[in-house]
Amino acid sequence: MKNFLPGPTMVKPEVLAKLSHPIIGHHTPEFHELMSRLNPALQKLFGTRHSVFSFTATASTAMEAALTNAGGEKMLIVSNGLFGERWARAAARMSLNHRVMNIGWGIPYDPAEVRRTLHWGKFDSIILVHGETSTGMLNPIEPIHEMLEDWPEVLLIVDAVATIGGVDLRMDDLGIDVLIGGSQKCLALPPGITPVGISPRGLRMARGSFRKGYAFDFNLWQERWKKQEVVCTPAMPQLYALEYQLDNIEKETLQSRWERHLKLGRLTLEWAAKNGWKPCSPEGYQLPSVSCLIPPKTRDHTAPVVEAMRERGYLIDNGQGKLENGSIRIGHMGDWSVEETKEMLGMLSKAVKVKG
């Protein structure tokens, strides 16, 4: 099967082979040497001079850690899709004081409205999903970064699970205080490792938190990070795969990787326009790594298209939540090439003829 899911995506055999690396102890010199190579490589990936932790956890776990460490006493969550809603549900289940700007799925946030909300709300942090895979939408960070110049005390927390390594994103240039990545999407790695970048402001906020627990205490991780250590026993094989893939990305160059993802996204949108499908996100806000497409007749069910693609050896996904059975989602990210994506879209042209 050729995996064009919106995550987890295809992992090359040579990357998977690194999972067979012999297990070593995480208190050994060999492990410290591994982390001494990984940490600066992750800093380069994130575009930061600050710390980037390698959590053995899902991105949702890192999300909760960001809330309890750096969210502060009151958080503003900007939500225009399923994963914005997930941040809100996590905050609610942990009884954290938060406000949700429910904008509507696939609708860009209005910077002026965000500014008004910040003006009246007295928030400690603002949370934004950069790549909203439920709608294939890219939420720009720059407008919020610029407006936070008027609120320098407000921390910026960004969910970049679907964009890190595939979309131009530089943590320090955008004033991001907590940046959550993901291994299983644009980095084209197995799930299990979640890199998290943290600024000194984020660490200061975490020092005053009494909700952060032990395993994902940002300040404890910072102490260990300085010594090329980790807080808990990590998923060692995934770390070796991460090192190998970061070396591959270095060879390709981040700029070339970002440009390739843009090409794959454009190819998919061109296919959609030619075949009467339309993206769930408006023009100028489409996510380079994942497309969410609505069929020509909005009442058409899309599950048959997903199944027809499976029969032809391709994995794509149905819509999520309120878009289930009314859209398809395609993950054109990671290590897929332009030619491979063209082949997939050619097969999709055949598959849509059998739907419904």
Side-chain angles (χ1 to χ4, degrees), residues 196-261:
V196 178
I198 178 77
S199 75
R201 292 183 351 130
L203 290 170
R204 284 196 295 272
M205 181 74 81
R207 279 197 288 272
S209 173
F210 298 98
R211 303 174 295 222
K212 57 195 175 185
Y214 174 82
F216 298 102
D217 178 341
F218 282 1
N219 291 115
L220 184 55
W221 271 87
Q222 176 68 7
E223 293 173 14
R224 303 293 174 83
W225 185 87
K226 290 178 179 178
K227 298 184 286 187
Q228 317 294 349
E229 298 176 354
V230 292
V231 173
C232 308
T233 307
M236 205 73 64
Q238 277 89 341
L239 290 177
Y240 278 106
L242 173 61
E243 180 191 24
Y244 179 80
Q245 187 68 332
L246 289 176
D247 185 56
N248 289 336
I249 292 171
E250 173 76 11
K251 293 172 183 175
E252 181 181 10
T253 76
L254 265 175
Q255 186 65 44
S256 296
R257 196 173 183 87
W258 294 335
E259 291 172 0
R260 178 167 54 80
H261 278 75

Side-chain angles (χ1 to χ4, degrees), residues 237-303:
Q238 277 89 341
L239 290 177
Y240 278 106
L242 173 61
E243 180 191 24
Y244 179 80
Q245 187 68 332
L246 289 176
D247 185 56
N248 289 336
I249 292 171
E250 173 76 11
K251 293 172 183 175
E252 181 181 10
T253 76
L254 265 175
Q255 186 65 44
S256 296
R257 196 173 183 87
W258 294 335
E259 291 172 0
R260 178 167 54 80
H261 278 75
L262 282 170
K263 289 177 184 177
L264 303 187
R266 283 196 294 265
L267 279 172
T268 306
L269 292 175
E270 288 168 5
W271 176 92
K274 182 179 178 180
N275 289 274
W277 292 59
K278 66 177 184 177
C280 295
S281 51
E283 186 175 355
Y285 293 89
Q286 279 109 13
L287 184 56
S289 53
V290 175
S291 291
C292 181
L293 304 175
I294 299 172
K297 297 178 181 178
T298 55
R299 293 182 181 179
D300 284 354
H301 288 277
T302 50

Side-chain angles (χ1 to χ4, degrees), residues 39-87:
N39 289 340
L42 285 169
Q43 287 175 302
K44 186 171 184 178
L45 174 71
F46 274 56
T48 184
R49 63 188 184 278
H50 305 310
S51 307
V52 181
F53 308 142
S54 299
F55 287 168
T56 294
T58 65
S60 294
T61 304
M63 172 183 73
E64 294 187 356
L67 291 172
T68 57
N69 276 269
E73 293 303 315
K74 189 175 182 182
M75 313 160 199
L76 175 62
I77 300 171
V78 180
S79 174
N80 54 6
L82 184 142
F83 290 94
E85 292 176 357
R86 180 174 293 185
W87 277 91

Side-chain angles (χ1 to χ4, degrees), residues 178-189:
V178 181
L179 183 61
I180 300 172
S183 61
Q184 74 277 18
K185 294 185 185 280
C186 297
L187 297 183
L189 284 159

Side-chain angles (χ1 to χ4, degrees), residues 2-5 9-10 259-272 275 287-291 293 309 314-316 330-349:
K2 295 184 178 180
N3 181 352
F4 281 85
L5 292 170
T9 192
M10 178 270 293
E259 291 172 0
R260 178 167 54 80
H261 278 75
L262 282 170
K263 289 177 184 177
L264 303 187
R266 283 196 294 265
L267 279 172
T268 306
L269 292 175
E270 288 168 5
W271 176 92
N275 289 274
L287 184 56
S289 53
V290 175
S291 291
L293 304 175
M309 285 293 280
Y314 286 86
L315 296 177
I316 63 171
I330 302 170
H332 33 74
M333 59 186 168
D335 288 334
W336 286 120
S337 69
V338 169
E339 287 306 314
E340 289 167 326
T341 303
K342 287 180 178 178
E343 290 173 7
M344 178 274 296
L345 293 171
M347 197 61 70
L348 184 59
S349 295

